[in-house]
Amino acid sequence: MSGRLPAGGRIDRTRPLRFTFDGRGYTGYAGDTLASALLANGVHLVGRSFKYHRPRGILSAGSEEPNALVEIDRGGGRREPNVRATMVPLVDGLVARSQNRWPSLRLDLASLAGLAAPLLPAGFYYKTFLGPGREAWHRRWEPLIRRMAGLGRAPDAPDPDRYANRYAHAEVLVIGAGPAGLDAAIAAAEQGGRVILCDEQAEMGGSLLADPAQWDRLAAMLATLRANPRVTLLPRTTAFHHGLQNFVSLAQVLDRPDGLRERLWQVRARRVVLATGAIERTIPFAGNDRPGVMLADAARTYAARYGVLPGRRVVASVAHDSGYDAAFTLQDAGETVAAILDLRADPARAAAAEARGITVLRGHGIVGTRGGLHVTGVRAAPLMEGGRPDPVRARDIACDLVLMAGGWTPTLHLLSQARGRLRWDEAADAFLPGDLPEGITCVGSCAGTEAGLPIRAIAAGAAPGAFIDHQNDVTAKDIALALREGFTSIEHVKRYTTNGMATDQGKTSNMLGLAVAAATLGRALPEVGLTTFRPPYTPVTFGTLAGRARGLDFEPIRRAPLHGWAEAQGAVFEPVGQWMRARYFPRAGEDMHAAVARECRAVRAAVGMLDASTLGKIEVTGPDAAEFLERTYVNAVHSLKPGRSRYALLLREDGFVFDDGIIARLAPDRFHVTTTTGGAARVLHMLEDYRQTEFPELRVWLTSTTEHWGVIALQGPRARDLLAPHVEGLDLSREAFPHMACGAARICGIPGLVFRASFTGELGFEVNVPAGHAPMVWERLWQDGQRLGVVAYGTEAMHVLRAEKGYVIVGQETDGTVTPDDLGYGWAIGKAKRDFVGKRSLARPDMQRTDRLQLVGLKPRDGRVPDEGAQLVVGEGPSQGHVTSAYDVAVLGLLRAGRSRMGETILATSLDGAPIPLEVVPPVFLDPKGERLHG
Amino acid sequence: MSQRFGLLSLAREALRGHRGWQPQWRSPERPRDAYDVVIVGGGGHGLATAYYLAKEHGLAGRVAVLEKGWIGGGNTGRNTTIIRSNYLFPESAALYDHAVKLWEGLSQDLDYNVMFSPRGVMMLAHNVHDVQSFRRHVHANRLDGVDNEWLTPAQAKAYCPPLDIDCARHPVLGAALQRRGGVARHDAVAWGYARAASALGVDIVQNCEVTGIDRDPATGAVTGLRTSKGAVRAGRIGVVAAGSTSLVMAMAGLRMPLESFPLQALVSEPVKPVFPCVVMSNTVHAYISQSDKGELVIGAGTDQYPSYSQAGGVQILTHTLEAICEMFPIFRRMRMLRSWGGIVDTTPDRSPIIGTTPVPGLFVNCGWGTGGFKATPGSGHVFAATIARGEPHPIAAPFSLERFTTGRLIDEAAAAAVAH
Amino acid sequence: MLLIRCPWCGDRAELEFRHCGEAHIVRPADPSAQSDAEWAEYLYLRENPRGWHRERWRHIHGCGRFFNALRHTGTDRFAATYRAEDPRPEIPE
């Protein structure tokens, strides 16, 4: 049976489009939605409900659709569940399938659940599945419930499409392109500012689209707007999140052939005009969910906009005058209006209907609907006292379409999200805008519509089995049950019954559910309350929100100046914060262990080169620079002479180690301070905090120079031999340039800084040159170093070498609970200092305990190296600490009162074997006297 | 309990149209004049506290729970329901594992299906530091008798097939799995405790906002409180008000080491079972499971500023979904159905505060930050004991308010960079 | 996302800023003279009000300056932002 009218509608009959639904081929036209095309082909049964698997049809013509959810498959990972057929513009070759049924939509065995419905009232699962045994729920019942629940299938392959995003500012953002929104956009555009007008539909016009008499006016309005270069028109664009200060997020569907699917717009608007319209209410009669039962205005839209008759013989259940418009439109389009059943006793427009030859039954409602997979008739009856139709006086009226015109609910989700207040308006029989936040106005029917029969009166006549939430299968009696069981807050009712929690988020069910609750409790609607409107307005694809952040673009990658060289050498990298650092440089056949061992040997025997450019660097300048560092770092800084540097520790104000590095005094008023790689930004932030807010009187300035300097560390007994020939203007001899000396020089002809510093225990230098020159300097030193047996080493060898010397890594030996003394680094603290950041906290009782965890060396007694993170125990006892670093040559750990336990044997836990015995030793395994260091 | 739950009672009621069900808990319109103990806050923790006070400490009929809104309407009903106990420090592991053990029998204890589902919680390691940190957790947990195991990337993929272990920017290097961890039905926890507590004579008064705390001028001890529904005398008051704790404690003249932040979460549209477990990744900030209804339940982050608005910025949601799409690229075409915000009270060391206060008779249980749901039964259990005995339960003792003075913090966050 | 008025740069998106906690907490001039309890108060105790809150922000991805704001924690609306040297704005009615 074809529902397509021979003429009319806004579809393009010259462009037929082929599509399939559940494998059967159909034809529609450009301008159709999937829903209108299905109706045109006489397909009314399109889905199954969530809980009882009841047959469901198309209820609406918009985004409020709770029933007509389908799977759209564009192939190759483009399978998408739970798509509202009413919002899918038809395209050629569209593949759609019904969901949540087995084996087929017409014969769904799970609909047998409907037979058990008496056993499955709201919240039944809280009362059952309690046994047998404690795990019965998880093991036996939950898998069953999970299989029954859910709607469509999740995609099973990565989505190949792309998503974009854009930020925009607008003088006025108008949301909704119906008559009120179009007027508002035109008026705003005349003021001269930038205007954005968005609408969720593929075509702009809103209710005008269902009124052919208005089409010329609509075309003229759109032409006016298109002609204005300051106006941006965004169809298929849903404003889904309205944040503070008019920061509004829009999801725009693009479906471009190049694979660009959707775009997230984030708009900051001086003024937002909400022209979001209103959503028609259903009527709660028994069987109001059968395919063929439809919102009245939706039927009107299908007829007028799409040229589709959703039925041949219609009965309208009406509580609002707008139902007459729908009936008249259908009649004009050729449909037989069998009857209008008006719940009201004296409807104003009945006479007009009767003048058209339509039977109007005043004060009548529907006792029930007939039919299986499609409605075949209704049982109409006069209303009794209280509002329910009287089944005794019911009579059958045959029909294949039932309209529901329950009145209108203004769409104010966005206003609520933007923290505007809604107030109940008795005359309008709706929640209307109350306090409007600054910069928001509401126009058109979202600001209020004419009332029909009050919704509370409609709800009072609800049949117990009438569906309130069509998707989640919540009936009026479920709401009554929740109230009976003490769930009297509307939020409790919602959660207990799941009313309004389906994919339509209650657009057609929240108000009616509230009204049923109010009627049952005998209270006024606003006393029962209103559930919160939560973003998004309609569901938004994850991909739209994630945008371009995917793959390597998920997060920025920072590459050091010598990254390219390391890559060419076949280095294996590891992420450290956002940086990629070379971890080791394997040669053919080497695994990490072998490569690292070779790199370490070469450093100890000759010289190694490390790209240390990722270290944070802060230049601290000004007459009070020394005083500033004296107050922030634990070290004595005033006593540091220009040309010398010091190992530096920075604590948080709570006394725990925050970062470490080197403070080098380049001049009386100029310091070069290094930080850990991961700590650079947070250290600068912390120092700026003290500089600006605690010590504003100090004349000192901080500048991040992390990315200005490329840093090449040269470590090993031959380091000086390698470096010295390339340095001008600085005497690198042992006497003139001792450990921790620093100075300016030309390196390979490039002005830079040289530090005598070691993170390996070997003779070492750190060469700083402007980052752009670092590759050239590195290459020169590398070539020259071949004569000395130079190696490039990575972070892994660096870790081994420093552990052997007992140097800690902040973040490995420390974890935010470790003090300088815990590390045995009390020596770094300037003894004469009255104060520094964190000093007072170190005097707190717990910091003074003698049984704190302290850094020790650990020597494996049976050759096995423990895991990093292994717990240190004695016997079976509780944890006495843990292993922080573990290599063949050195194991470090934090051990309770560790420094007093030298020589003791303890055990490290093992995940796959016997505990590992370890001897407690001092944490320095190499050159405790520092002869190599000072070499 | 007047009506036992179960298939039999359900069938019996079905025969008479479910007209015989009683209110699940008594909901007196206003509180009585006096109670032995008043619990301020009708969330899961507060209701659990009242239940255990009545059940285990001889206070049946002498306890009230005052809730300013509707029970379970705060963070209990707004979280992502993750339950686990694989915390690093023994103090934390003891507290959370106490809770997990109670979760395991909670439905039977309460005669209410809270749908505890120990489907396993997997925490992903994406870099060397993560690996070190999570393996440290595994070692520490096993020593403390808490199950936790280390998985290779392939094992992680097998446990959670939608996971992309080779994601380009943050590949998975391994995972720590606690099989006893899982999820539960959050609302049911509040309702189940309320029903069981009510049956033991606990008065649960909703829409009853506390407006003041009365103290004896001489001793400073609490004597009662004032509410929007009249004054109530009580010698012991337990404040379990989560995000609003600072406000209630201020009524007793106490400032707290707390700041309250908006925390957001979201769910997708429901789909058939696709996600078998719970996955957490701290490095890319993704926390996800699938509810029994079929929705993907996704935890987002907190906004950076304190707020009581129960709403946060959209950038928190986009950031979260970037992470979800990166780790689970098949979910890119899933849709966000609903997002919401809660108010989480956080302490400087991100561990809770459970215990006595400088005000005699005033007890506090707060600071659960983003991770309080999982502790609900354990928190209520040890807090009830603390209130009943007037001194901290041994498991609660390390979580005292004094630790901020002594410096004996329990800094899980700093120790592992692990969000809860 | 909040729109925040940096006293130096004007209205900018929240992404450019970092919240830095309650304002007007002054570090004691002589911490060593503080008792443990006083020191804990400085370190940890916060007003955390529901209502007007004086707080610090830093325009970290902009001018880098710290400044203060008066914001309502129930509505997240700003009454004012101000520099450290400015007089404290009055709490609105």
Side-chain angles (χ1 to χ4, degrees):
Chain A
M1 180 188 74
S2 168
R4 187 74 71 184
L5 291 163
R10 297 177 68 85
I11 50 167
D12 183 351
R13 290 169 196 262
T14 65
R15 288 174 58 205
L17 305 171
R18 299 172 53 77
F19 69 102
T20 68
F21 177 63
D22 278 345
R24 257 190 84 176
Y26 300 98
T27 306
Y29 295 107
D32 262 327
T33 62
L34 175 60
S36 68
L38 284 169
L39 290 171
N41 284 281
V43 178
H44 289 260
L45 172 67
V46 291
R48 290 278 173 172
S49 67
F50 189 86
K51 187 171 169 187
Y52 302 133
H53 289 249
R54 287 172 66 93
R56 290 287 161 80
I58 294 162
L59 185 77
S60 76
S63 65
E64 69 270 34
E65 178 61 38
N67 283 345
L69 304 183
V70 298
E71 175 180 284
I72 300 287
D73 193 346
R74 294 176 171 84
R78 295 177 178 86
R79 204 183 74 196
E80 191 171 356
N82 304 342
V83 180
R84 288 155 295 168
T86 51
M87 294 301 285
V88 180
L90 196 66
V91 292
D92 201 45
L94 186 82
V95 176
R97 292 184 203 103
S98 59
Q99 318 185 125
N100 200 32
R101 78 286 186 273
W102 186 87
S104 75
L105 184 57
R106 297 185 70 81
L107 175 71
D108 178 11
L109 289 181
S111 64
L112 295 172
L115 299 177
L119 279 173
L120 312 174
F124 73 95
Y125 29 75
Y126 300 125
K127 297 171 177 162
T128 46
F129 311 127
L130 290 161
R134 281 175 144 205
E135 294 206 337
W137 167 252
H138 174 56
R139 299 248 171 260
R140 178 179 298 193
W141 304 112
E142 186 182 40
L144 211 65
I145 293 282
R146 286 191 70 176
R147 272 200 300 277
M148 286 292 288
L151 279 168
R153 299 176 294 166
D156 57 5
D159 177 8
D161 289 336
R162 292 179 297 116
Y163 300 83
N165 61 52
R166 187 174 287 180
Y167 290 90
H169 287 84
E171 195 64 32
V172 181
L173 168 66
V174 182
I175 299 169
L182 289 165
D183 279 342
I186 289 169
E190 282 168 1
Q191 304 290 317
R194 272 181 292 182
V195 176
I196 296 176
L197 172 62
C198 70
D199 192 282
E200 60 183 357
Q201 293 265 343
E203 201 177 354
M204 291 194 158
S207 61
L208 300 180
L209 296 168
D211 189 353
Q214 298 287 335
W215 288 355
D216 287 344
R217 178 184 156 211
L218 171 60
M221 289 166 105
L222 287 171
T224 304
L225 289 167
R226 283 199 192 99
N228 189 328
R230 289 174 169 280
V231 176
T232 305
L233 296 179
L234 300 176
R236 290 191 84 184
T237 303
T238 304
F240 65 90
H241 189 289
H242 194 155
L244 282 175
Q245 295 154 301
N246 278 344
F247 192 68
V248 185
S249 302
L250 321 174
Q252 178 185 27
V253 183
L254 297 165
D255 273 346
R256 285 204 330 214
D258 63 358
L260 194 59
R261 281 300 301 281
E262 294 177 29
R263 173 181 287 136
L264 175 67
W265 289 74
Q266 292 178 279
V267 181
R268 180 82 69 181
R270 195 176 304 280
R271 203 153 62 79
V272 171
V273 178
L274 296 176
T276 41
I279 292 172
E280 195 165 28
R281 296 168 180 166
T282 61
I283 293 183
F285 52 82
N288 64 347
D289 66 324
R290 206 176 298 286
V293 180
M294 188 179 276
L295 291 171
D297 199 61
R300 185 169 95 124
T301 297
Y302 286 117
R305 177 174 170 189
Y306 299 105
V308 172
L309 272 194
R312 294 289 169 194
R313 191 178 156 82
V314 59
V315 170
S317 176
V318 168
H320 189 279
D321 288 346
S322 63
Y324 289 82
D325 294 328
F328 296 171
T329 300
L330 293 176
Q331 189 186 37
D332 292 346
E335 195 152 353
T336 303
V337 180
I340 292 177
L341 313 177
D342 201 314
L343 293 167
R344 299 168 297 179
D346 188 18
R349 299 193 63 189
E354 282 159 351
R356 287 168 153 261
I358 298 172
T359 305
V360 178
L361 298 175
R362 295 169 174 78
H364 271 61
I366 292 175
V367 176
T369 59
R370 294 190 184 282
L373 299 177
H374 190 86
V375 68
T376 57
V378 299
R379 288 174 56 69
L383 304 185
M384 304 181 292
E385 192 75 18
R388 274 196 201 166
D390 182 359
V392 178
R393 290 185 285 161
R395 59 173 156 133
D396 284 327
I397 304 177
C399 65
D400 61 358
L401 178 64
V402 179
L403 303 187
M404 297 184 287
W408 297 85
T409 298
T411 303
L412 292 169
H413 300 63
L414 294 176
L415 178 63
S416 176
Q417 287 180 23
R419 307 191 205 168
R421 288 250 172 78
L422 309 189
R423 64 177 171 84
W424 176 254
D425 187 298
E426 199 68 39
D429 189 40
F431 285 99
L432 295 183
D435 296 341
L436 286 173
E438 197 187 331
I440 300 180
T441 48
C442 298
V443 298
S445 53
C446 75
T449 56
E450 265 179 50
L453 182 65
I455 189 167
R456 197 172 171 291
I458 297 174
F467 284 88
I468 309 299
D469 185 322
H470 284 246
Q471 189 182 129
N472 271 352
D473 283 342
V474 179
T475 60
K477 67 173 182 291
D478 287 320
I479 291 173
L481 174 65
L483 297 170
R484 193 176 303 135
E485 293 197 82
F487 295 90
T488 48
S489 154
I490 195 63
E491 289 282 356
H492 277 159
V493 171
K494 167 182 157 182
R495 286 153 180 268
Y496 193 64
T497 63
T498 73
N499 191 62
M501 298 185 81
T503 64
D504 59 302
Q505 287 289 286
K507 290 188 179 60
T508 56
S509 57
N510 277 343
M511 276 303 293
L512 191 55
L514 178 59
V516 168
T520 310
L521 292 169
R523 290 193 206 154
L525 240 79
E527 286 174 42
V528 181
L530 182 65
T531 54
T532 319
F533 293 106
R534 290 167 171 158
Y537 173 64
T538 52
V540 180
T541 316
F542 286 5
T544 305
L545 290 157
R548 298 183 192 280
R550 68 194 299 177
L552 289 175
D553 292 336
F554 174 70
E555 198 185 346
I557 292 177
R558 300 176 76 185
R559 294 182 178 85
L562 302 165
H563 187 97
W565 186 91
E567 210 165 27
Q569 296 288 317
V572 174
F573 291 86
E574 68 162 328
V576 180
Q578 290 182 331
W579 292 100
M580 283 293 165
R581 299 196 70 182
R583 192 175 183 193
Y584 57 98
F585 292 83
R587 289 183 181 164
E590 278 184 344
D591 62 4
M592 182 173 92
H593 194 261
V596 170
R598 173 180 49 74
E599 291 169 16
C600 289
R601 275 197 309 275
V603 171
R604 295 273 181 244
V607 60
M609 290 169 61
L610 172 84
D611 179 3
S613 305
T614 63
L615 283 182
K617 294 170 278 289
I618 302 167
E619 189 159 286
V620 182
T621 58
D624 297 322
E627 175 63 17
F628 176 73
L629 291 170
E630 181 91 11
R631 291 188 195 183
T632 47
Y633 278 80
V634 308
N635 310 77
V637 179
H638 281 307
S639 59
L640 185 64
K641 293 189 171 51
R644 290 292 180 271
S645 61
R646 205 159 264 174
Y647 174 77
L649 265 180
L650 183 66
L651 310 185
R652 302 187 305 212
E653 198 66 273
D654 65 6
F656 297 116
V657 172
F658 184 63
D659 201 74
D660 70 349
I662 279 174
I663 295 177
R665 193 166 201 168
L666 303 174
D669 61 351
R670 194 153 72 94
F671 292 84
H672 177 98
V673 177
T674 69
T675 75
T676 58
T677 293
R682 59 175 179 255
V683 168
L684 182 62
H685 178 65
M686 174 177 162
L687 294 179
E688 275 292 347
D689 192 349
Y690 281 93
R691 184 186 79 82
Q692 291 186 37
T693 71
E694 295 295 348
F695 313 132
E697 72 282 8
L698 297 182
R699 291 159 302 163
V700 57
W701 294 272
L702 309 175
T703 308
S704 168
T705 55
T706 300
E707 296 191 346
H708 295 226
W709 295 113
V711 182
I712 301 167
L714 302 164
Q715 301 278 314
R718 310 297 301 275
R720 184 184 290 113
D721 301 337
L722 172 53
L723 181 61
H726 302 276
V727 171
E728 300 163 69
L730 194 63
D731 177 358
L732 295 187
S733 69
R734 182 176 174 163
E735 298 70 28
F737 202 69
H739 183 54
M740 301 308 272
C742 62
R746 296 180 83 84
I747 306 103
C748 303
I750 306 299
L753 301 172
V754 179
F755 300 85
R756 174 95 190 261
S758 172
F759 199 43
T760 58
E762 300 296 333
L763 166 66
F765 298 89
E766 286 180 4
V767 173
N768 284 231
V769 291
H773 293 286
M776 181 276 285
V777 173
W778 175 283
E779 189 62 40
R780 290 257 193 103
L781 293 170
W782 176 254
Q783 293 302 339
D784 187 36
Q786 300 307 314
R787 65 188 164 88
L788 300 169
V790 70
V791 293
Y793 68 101
T795 52
E796 193 65 25
M798 175 187 83
H799 286 175
V800 177
L801 294 163
R802 64 87 206 171
E804 205 175 0
K805 180 66 179 174
Y807 291 151
V808 303
I809 288 186
V810 170
Q812 185 154 347
E813 271 65 41
T814 74
D815 60 7
T817 68
V818 175
T819 68
D821 185 67
D822 296 342
L823 295 174
Y825 280 19
W827 52 263
I829 298 175
K831 292 295 170 290
K833 292 178 67 164
R834 193 178 62 88
D835 188 20
F836 54 83
V837 173
K839 179 175 168 62
R840 174 62 187 84
S841 290
L842 295 176
R844 294 184 294 178
D846 197 64
M847 314 298 236
Q848 299 288 318
R849 271 180 20 236
T850 52
D851 66 341
R852 290 185 61 85
L853 302 185
Q854 295 171 334
L855 186 75
V856 295
L858 298 164
K859 205 163 147 190
R861 308 216 38 172
D862 66 0
R864 288 185 297 156
V865 176
D867 259 4
E868 285 169 353
Q871 298 296 300
L872 300 175
V873 294
V874 176
E876 300 281 299
S879 172
Q880 306 234 351
H882 66 279
V883 173
T884 58
S885 297
Y887 307 102
D888 292 344
V889 293
V891 179
L892 300 175
L894 286 165
L895 177 65
R896 195 158 297 292
R899 287 202 292 274
S900 62
R901 299 170 70 173
M902 293 299 150
E904 191 180 321
T905 295
I906 53 164
L907 297 173
T909 55
S910 164
L911 296 183
D912 45 17
I916 297 170
L918 304 164
E919 184 187 342
V920 182
V921 297
V924 182
F925 295 85
L926 177 91
D927 187 26
K929 294 204 179 105
E931 286 157 355
R932 298 174 73 92
L933 189 68
H934 292 280
Chain B
M1 263 160 257
S2 50
Q3 285 170 304
R4 275 204 74 79
F5 281 174
L7 195 57
L8 273 180
S9 59
L10 201 59
R12 198 166 51 238
E13 280 299 328
L15 292 176
R16 45 175 174 160
H18 297 282
R19 294 186 185 285
W21 293 111
Q22 302 295 313
Q24 296 195 356
W25 62 89
R26 293 175 304 106
S27 199
E29 192 47 42
R30 50 187 61 253
R32 298 203 306 256
D33 291 342
Y35 296 92
D36 282 21
V37 181
V38 168
I39 301 298
V40 180
H45 291 246
L47 293 163
T49 305
Y51 169 68
Y52 293 115
L53 278 169
K55 183 183 175 215
E56 298 191 357
H57 301 283
L59 287 166
R62 291 148 66 188
V63 178
V65 176
L66 307 184
E67 165 56 48
K68 75 174 170 189
W70 34 284
I71 63 165
N75 296 336
T76 300
R78 294 168 183 272
N79 70 90
T80 55
T81 80
I82 296 175
I83 294 167
R84 64 182 181 89
S85 62
N86 52 351
Y87 281 68
L88 180 61
F89 294 115
E91 297 89 343
S92 312
L95 176 62
Y96 290 100
D97 211 52
H98 186 57
V100 169
K101 285 177 183 139
L102 290 168
W103 277 117
E104 286 163 351
L106 195 60
S107 292
Q108 289 73 27
D109 185 25
L110 299 180
D111 185 39
Y112 207 101
N113 187 4
V114 301
M115 304 185 190
F116 175 59
S117 171
R119 53 181 75 171
V121 175
M122 196 162 73
M123 299 165 75
L124 303 179
H126 297 276
N127 55 47
V128 175
H129 184 264
D130 284 352
V131 172
Q132 288 166 341
S133 172
F134 291 160
R135 286 180 67 90
R136 182 178 167 198
H137 276 68
V138 173
H139 278 279
N141 290 151
R142 289 196 172 185
L143 190 63
D144 293 330
V146 173
D147 76 303
N148 198 356
E149 62 194 89
W150 181 252
L151 303 185
T152 63
Q155 288 170 321
K157 171 84 181 164
Y159 200 74
C160 183
L163 176 65
D164 179 10
I165 53 175
D166 300 317
C167 43
R169 185 65 180 85
H170 292 289
V172 174
L173 303 186
L177 170 66
Q178 184 177 29
R179 291 181 193 270
R180 284 165 64 229
V183 292
R185 171 83 189 124
H186 53 12
D187 290 330
V189 176
W191 302 339
Y193 270 119
R195 175 168 169 268
S198 172
L200 293 171
V202 172
D203 280 356
I204 297 163
V205 189
Q206 301 182 87
N207 300 309
C208 180
E209 183 165 6
V210 173
T211 56
I213 292 177
D214 295 323
R215 297 169 63 181
D216 183 314
T219 64
V222 298
T223 57
L225 13 68
R226 277 159 285 143
T227 78
S228 57
K229 292 183 169 179
V232 183
R233 278 177 287 120
R236 278 173 288 179
I237 298 172
V239 177
V240 203
S244 300
T245 300
S246 292
L247 309 178
V248 179
M249 297 300 277
M251 297 172 194
L254 291 179
R255 275 205 303 165
M256 297 294 290
L258 291 174
E259 287 187 291
S260 297
F261 295 94
L263 174 70
Q264 294 187 76
L266 64 102
V267 294
S268 74
E269 295 179 338
V271 287
K272 294 293 175 192
V274 64
F275 202 86
C277 57
V278 182
V279 170
M280 306 172 62
S281 165
N282 301 299
T283 297
V284 302
H285 305 292
Y287 313 92
I288 177 171
S289 64
Q290 187 179 20
S291 73
D292 289 338
K293 194 181 170 193
E295 298 160 333
L296 297 175
V297 182
I298 294 167
T302 55
D303 280 281
Q304 56 173 332
Y305 50 85
S307 174
Y308 290 84
S309 64
Q310 291 192 337
V314 70
Q315 73 276 15
I316 306 292
L317 302 176
T318 54
H319 182 63
T320 297
L321 289 171
E322 286 169 11
I324 293 295
C325 290
E326 189 54 19
M327 290 173 46
F328 308 99
I330 67 168
F331 292 154
R332 198 171 283 270
R333 287 217 68 75
M334 294 287 294
R335 283 186 292 266
M336 173 169 79
L337 171 61
R338 183 169 65 244
S339 69
W340 63 90
I343 311 165
V344 298
D345 45 325
T346 57
T347 62
D349 64 358
R350 299 294 189 271
S351 286
I353 299 166
I354 314 170
T356 58
T357 71
V359 176
L362 184 65
F363 301 82
V364 70
N365 181 352
C366 65
W368 292 93
T370 59
F373 177 75
K374 65 175 73 69
T376 305
S379 159
H381 193 256
V382 300
F383 192 48
T386 302
I387 293 173
R389 297 175 197 151
E391 62 180 61
H393 183 282
I395 288 178
F399 296 91
S400 71
L401 203 46
E402 290 85 61
R403 74 178 189 272
F404 297 101
T405 305
T406 64
R408 190 159 200 155
L409 305 183
I410 305 167
D411 202 337
E412 290 281 337
V418 169
H420 292 210
Chain C
M1 185 171 346
L2 302 178
L3 186 67
I4 301 173
R5 179 159 298 169
C6 169
W8 285 272
C9 308
D11 287 338
R12 300 296 174 90
E14 182 194 337
L15 287 181
E16 296 184 15
F17 296 85
R18 182 172 299 173
H19 188 270
C20 298
E22 187 175 324
H24 306 303
I25 297 173
V26 180
R27 189 174 188 268
D30 182 5
S32 65
Q34 299 265 301
S35 69
D36 286 336
E38 288 167 334
W39 186 246
E41 189 173 334
Y42 161 70
L43 281 182
Y44 299 126
L45 298 195
R46 297 294 177 262
E47 292 298 330
N48 197 28
R50 176 162 56 205
W52 292 105
H53 186 230
R54 293 184 189 277
E55 61 191 13
R56 307 188 316 143
W57 289 83
R58 184 180 177 212
H59 193 189
I60 189 167
H61 300 301
C63 67
R65 304 290 286 263
F66 284 78
F67 59 90
N68 297 319
L70 183 59
R71 183 180 57 92
H72 195 283
T73 61
T75 63
D76 294 332
R77 289 177 197 288
F78 289 91
T81 55
Y82 56 104
R83 307 175 188 193
E85 63 270 25
D86 293 340
R88 291 186 198 180
E90 293 294 316
I91 287 175
E93 287 303 308

